[in-house]
Structure formats: structure tokens, C-alpha cells
Amino acid sequence: MQWRTQVALLAQHPQLLEGSVLDNLQMPYRLQAHQQRRFDREWHIAQLAHLERGADFLHQAATHLSGGERQLVNTLRLLQLRPRVLLLDEPTAALDGETSAQLVNLLINWLRADTQRTLLWVTHDTQDIMPLADNHWHMQAGVLTELS
């Protein structure tokens, strides 16, 4: 359980529960691993402002969200738990350019806020990520090589 509180996976296709955005954001606090933590509504409102969304976004039904909005909700749901390692599987693949840029900025700000955090980003679209990364690897035919 300790490992699961420190490492989080942001999947390419997020799964949200029925209910509102707020319901989805509060869900992790019902799990044993996070019961001692408290949901911070103000933190979410501040993050939504950076994503150019108002506090009313919290009350939208999850079933009515676009794919990009679902990805933003899933990202906030993970970041609020303050993992030390965030694994990203093509997090911007299905997003429009504006939402993709917002998500990249959110993740980079999260990473830079604490030197103890690590982000492992797997993507086919390296254009926006390469300048931001400290290390780069390329995988082809199962062979992983470090790029200089």
C-alpha cells in the first residue's frame, strides 16, 4: 500500500465514475490508503483556473465531459494525492492542441514544485516534451536506447 501511495499511473484513456467531477475527485479519499488525507476544494479551484475552467466545472456530470476534460479530471485526481512518481501513458494523444498545452503545463508545474518528484512520460509525440525532459530514451523493436 505504501508503494501505491507514492506511484500513480495516468492512463491514455481515463476511467471516471458516474456522478459529478467533484464525486470523481473525492473518490480516492474513500480508499484505505488515503483516508487520513483531506480533500482540498480550494486547491482544485486554483488548478481549474490554470486550466481556464471555473469552479462550476466541479458540478458537471462526468458522463458529459469530452475526452480532454476527462483526462484533466483524471490528472487532478492523481496529482491531488501528491505521488512521488507519476507514470504517463500517452496522456495528450487524444487531446486538442489547447487542452494538450494546458495538461503539459499542469504536469510541468507539478513536477517543478517539488524536487523529489519524478515524471516518466511515454509518448509517440515528442515535439512538446523533448525540450522539457532531463533524459530521453527511444524504444524500437523492444530495444531501449538513451538519446544524447
Side-chain angles (χ1 to χ4, degrees):
M1 187 164 44
Q2 177 66 23
W3 184 86
R4 290 187 53 104
T5 64
Q6 298 299 313
V7 179
L9 171 65
L10 181 59
Q12 181 177 357
H13 303 289
Q15 300 297 317
L16 298 182
L17 305 171
E18 287 187 26
S20 69
V21 167
L22 185 60
D23 294 333
N24 276 273
L25 295 173
Q26 291 176 331
M27 182 276 301
Y29 298 97
R30 293 192 298 262
L31 302 174
Q32 182 178 356
H34 304 294
Q35 286 180 343
Q36 75 282 4
R37 297 181 180 189
R38 298 202 150 200
F39 179 77
D40 185 348
R41 183 183 182 96
E42 296 308 313
W43 180 86
H44 284 283
I45 291 172
Q47 301 311 306
L48 289 171
H50 289 295
L51 297 169
E52 300 177 9
R53 286 159 177 81
D56 59 325
F57 183 75
L58 293 171
H59 303 291
Q60 289 190 27
T63 54
H64 294 135
L65 299 177
S66 70
E69 290 171 329
R70 295 171 65 83
Q71 189 64 298
L72 294 177
V73 171
N74 195 41
T75 303
L76 291 176
R77 185 169 58 186
L78 293 176
L79 296 184
Q80 72 181 342
L81 300 174
R82 298 181 306 278
R84 295 200 40 168
V85 178
L86 189 56
L87 308 173
L88 307 171
D89 177 19
E90 298 279 0
T92 60
L95 305 181
D96 62 68
E98 184 178 335
T99 306
S100 178
Q102 291 172 342
L103 181 64
V104 169
N105 286 333
L106 178 70
L107 292 168
I108 296 305
N109 289 337
W110 170 83
L111 180 64
R112 290 180 177 161
D114 186 338
T115 59
Q116 298 299 309
R117 292 179 177 161
T118 299
L119 204 104
L120 178 62
W121 195 306
V122 176
T123 184
H124 289 91
D125 181 21
T126 59
Q127 181 179 4
D128 295 332
I129 304 309
M130 288 288 277
L132 304 172
D134 294 329
N135 300 297
H136 307 97
W137 291 280
H138 177 75
M139 182 176 279
Q140 186 167 348
V143 177
L144 186 65
T145 53
E146 186 169 2
L147 302 177
S148 49

